[in-house]
Amino acid sequence: MDGKAAPNGVATIEDRILRITGYYGYYPGYSSQKSASRSSVIQCKPGGNCPSRHRGMTRQLSPLSVAEDSAAPILELQNRSPSGICRHSRVERQSRSEEGTQTHTESSSQEAEGQTRCQSCTSTFLKLIWRFLIILSVSSSWVGTTQFVKITFETFDCPFFMTWFSTNWNIMIFPIYYSGHLATAQEKQSPIKKFRECSRIFGEDGLTLKLFLKRTAPFSILWTLTNYLYLLALKKLTATDVSALFCCNKAFVFLLSWIVLKDRFMGARIVAAIMAITGIVMMAYADGFQGDSIIGVAYAVGSASTSALYKVLFKMFLGSANFGEAAHFVSTLGFFNFIFISITPIILYFTKVEYWYPFSAVPWGYLCGVAGLWLAFNILVNVGVVLTYPILISIGTVLSVPGNAAVDLLKHKMIFSVVRLGATIIICMGFLLMLLPEEWDEITLRFINSLKEKKSEDHSEDMTESSVHTRSRSRANGTVSIPLA
């Protein structure tokens, strides 16, 4: 009786524990049935001697084993409980979502970086194309104007009338600008309001009759003189020589700005001015300082001088101007030319200095071609200065020299002498030297110092790598390198 009571008591204790803990697989007599089935099962190794049943070897349960057996369902219950399963699945799901989010973020950042690089490359390429087109357009328009003038002179020898007729076309610059404003601006303004806004270049009060006569008259006279002398030079010299001599206006602008505007002195630009003067002398010497050559050189140099004076006075009295103000000012010059300078070609006609008869003999097609190309050049100069860099306009102007040389060589079969070719090259080199920025010396010194620092850093890195390599080899050979004192 005592031997059977102990298992029943243990079973009763286990039943109580299971009932208290609320084990979902509990039913009365569960523990006794479980312990009986556990004690009746005997595991044997394959090929081993299993104990016989008649020995009656049974498992003796101790209180410690009872506690372990009773604790096993509790641990199993905790592991199988719905809250534990949900918590574990929630953690796994959260970790998977975090990994997915991180992967998606990395891929999206890489895609955004790739798109940014692609957009930057595309914008840089478009800017280069735009600048190249500006340079090509400026050069082509100036070459076309010069060549059309040479062709027109073959049948119509009236340079002042051509100058007056071409200058009148400047009236259309402001309407063209306003048309572009209507096409591109989000907030469109009326013509009168836009005209008043752009007329502030003359002062806070805008364009008055007094300012119209005071500010417009000198600039209109300089504009007419520049173009008229340029056309007179084309009657005496080739297009290549005249375009090369006209590039000297950059040197004259520097000299006048240094004298009148007290601009910064630059040795490089002084050298460029000397080169320009040397080229002028060589160009005049090409035909021995006689005949039409020296007169043509004088006309071309006079045209470059009046152009330089126009630019310096504009900077002195009017300062800088945006595209709208520049378009307004040039259109005002055309209007002044049409009103006040129209009397000059009439006087020249009746004095038979510039006489054409009959009226139908005037080559209006060539005249309109010259005026249209000149108008395009003026628009490109004003647009290019605002939308791009002024240096691009200067490069386009100097490229007109080889452009005219190519046309003279291929079409007119011109043969250039060594002196003229040398003078042209010297003038163009001086013009390019004028394009150096004012801080070119500081920029050059900074660039040289950066190169020196980079070389010193590379040398120190090489010395460090060589010393590390030497130490590793000495340690591998079992020797120690001792520096000499």
Side-chain angles (χ1 to χ4, degrees):
M1 293 294 290
D2 295 338
K4 295 181 180 179
N8 293 333
V10 173
T12 305
I13 294 173
E14 187 174 354
D15 289 339
R16 291 178 180 178
I17 293 173
L18 294 176
R19 187 174 63 252
I20 292 171
T21 55
Y23 182 57
Y24 62 87
Y26 166 78
Y27 57 89
Y30 171 82
S31 59
S32 59
Q33 183 180 357
K34 184 179 179 182
S35 59
S37 62
R38 197 187 315 171
S39 60
S40 62
V41 175
I42 299 175
Q43 296 180 353
C44 296
K45 295 181 179 180
N49 295 323
C50 297
S52 58
R53 294 187 179 181
H54 67 275
R55 292 183 181 180
M57 295 185 65
T58 59
R59 184 180 179 185
Q60 300 295 328
L61 300 178
S62 63
L64 181 60
S65 64
V66 172
E68 292 177 354
D69 292 339
S70 61
I74 300 174
L75 295 175
E76 186 179 1
L77 174 64
Q78 293 178 354
N79 291 332
R80 294 183 179 180
S81 62
S83 61
I85 294 172
C86 294
R87 190 183 301 110
H88 181 68
S89 62
R90 193 183 303 115
V91 171
E92 289 183 353
R93 198 181 305 113
Q94 185 177 2
S95 62
R96 290 177 182 175
S97 63
E98 290 178 355
E99 291 177 356
T101 305
Q102 185 177 3
T103 306
H104 179 69
T105 305
E106 291 177 355
S107 61
S108 61
S109 62
Q110 291 177 357
E111 291 178 358
E113 185 178 359
Q115 291 178 357
T116 304
R117 290 180 180 177
C118 183
Q119 290 177 358
S120 62
C121 293
T122 305
S123 62
T124 304
F125 179 74
L126 292 177
K127 287 180 181 179
L128 292 176
I129 293 296
W130 169 251
R131 293 169 184 174
F132 175 76
L133 290 177
I134 288 290
I135 294 174
L136 185 63
S137 301
V138 170
S139 178
S140 301
S141 61
W142 192 235
V143 170
T145 302
T146 306
Q147 295 296 330
F148 257 88
V149 170
K150 294 288 289 185
I151 296 172
T152 308
F153 277 149
E154 297 176 358
T155 57
F156 189 74
D157 189 8
C158 298
F160 193 88
F161 180 82
M162 292 171 62
T163 302
W164 171 82
F165 183 78
S166 301
T167 306
N168 288 335
W169 282 47
N170 290 339
I171 299 175
M172 295 187 294
I173 292 182
F174 185 79
I176 293 174
Y177 162 75
Y178 183 74
S179 300
H181 165 74
L182 292 178
T184 58
Q186 296 181 354
E187 297 180 359
K188 298 176 176 56
Q189 298 178 357
S190 63
I192 298 176
K193 186 176 180 180
K194 196 65 180 178
F195 184 85
R196 290 177 180 175
E197 179 183 345
C198 295
S199 63
R200 292 178 183 175
I201 189 175
F202 295 98
E204 294 295 333
D205 297 334
L207 182 62
T208 60
L209 181 60
K210 181 180 179 180
L211 288 175
F212 176 73
L213 297 175
K214 182 180 178 181
R215 296 289 176 87
T216 309
F219 289 105
S220 180
I221 294 172
L222 288 174
W223 182 287
T224 303
L225 276 176
T226 299
N227 297 332
Y228 179 61
L229 292 174
Y230 188 83
L231 297 186
L232 289 177
L234 286 174
K235 290 180 62 177
K236 305 293 182 181
L237 300 174
T238 63
T240 305
D241 296 342
V242 176
S243 59
L245 289 169
F246 188 76
C247 289
C248 295
N249 68 337
K250 200 76 174 177
F252 298 155
V253 168
F254 165 70
L255 294 175
L256 289 174
S257 300
W258 180 39
I259 296 171
V260 178
L261 301 179
K262 307 298 180 183
D263 282 356
R264 178 185 174 185
F265 175 81
M266 290 181 61
R269 293 186 178 179
I270 287 293
V271 174
I274 294 173
M275 293 176 66
I277 296 172
T278 303
I280 292 170
V281 175
M282 291 178 63
M283 193 74 72
Y285 175 74
D287 292 334
F289 294 102
Q290 61 183 357
D292 293 340
S293 177
I294 187 66
I295 298 175
V297 171
Y299 285 150
V301 173
S303 177
S305 302
T306 52
S307 174
L309 183 61
Y310 174 91
K311 293 178 181 179
V312 172
L313 291 179
F314 187 92
K315 186 176 180 181
M316 179 187 295
F317 292 107
L318 301 177
S320 59
N322 55 32
F323 181 37
E325 294 173 347
H328 181 279
F329 184 75
V330 177
S331 295
T332 306
L333 293 182
F335 190 70
F336 184 91
N337 178 81
F338 180 74
I339 294 176
F340 295 99
I341 303 183
S342 297
I343 191 66
T344 306
I346 296 175
I347 294 173
L348 295 177
Y349 176 81
F350 285 106
T351 57
K352 296 188 178 181
V353 175
E354 290 187 359
Y355 183 76
W356 64 91
Y357 185 81
F359 189 78
S360 59
V362 178
W364 293 108
Y366 288 122
L367 288 178
C368 291
V370 171
L373 288 171
W374 222 324
L375 177 67
F377 176 77
N378 292 326
I379 292 175
L380 287 170
V381 167
N382 290 288
V383 171
V385 169
V386 175
L387 299 181
T388 60
Y389 300 99
I391 190 174
L392 299 180
I393 307 302
S394 301
I395 293 174
T397 304
V398 76
L399 285 179
S400 64
V401 178
N404 282 313
V407 175
D408 290 341
L409 183 63
L410 297 176
K411 184 178 180 180
H412 303 290
K413 307 297 181 181
M414 298 292 297
I415 299 175
F416 300 100
S417 63
V418 178
V419 178
R420 289 183 181 276
L421 188 61
T424 302
I425 293 174
I426 290 175
I427 291 174
C428 292
M429 289 178 62
F431 184 89
L432 294 176
L433 200 60
M434 281 288 178
L435 300 181
L436 290 175
E438 294 184 357
E439 299 83 7
W440 71 273
D441 49 351
E442 298 177 0
I443 296 173
T444 306
L445 291 175
R446 203 178 304 129
F447 179 72
I448 294 173
N449 292 330
S450 64
L451 288 179
K452 289 181 179 179
E453 292 177 357
K454 187 176 181 180
K455 283 185 178 181
S456 62
E457 290 178 358
D458 294 339
H459 181 68
S460 62
E461 289 178 359
D462 293 338
M463 292 293 292
T464 305
E465 291 178 358
S466 62
S467 62
V468 170
H469 183 66
T470 304
R471 289 178 183 176
S472 62
R473 288 184 62 185
S474 62
R475 289 176 181 174
N477 294 330
T479 58
V480 179
S481 60
I482 302 175
L484 297 176

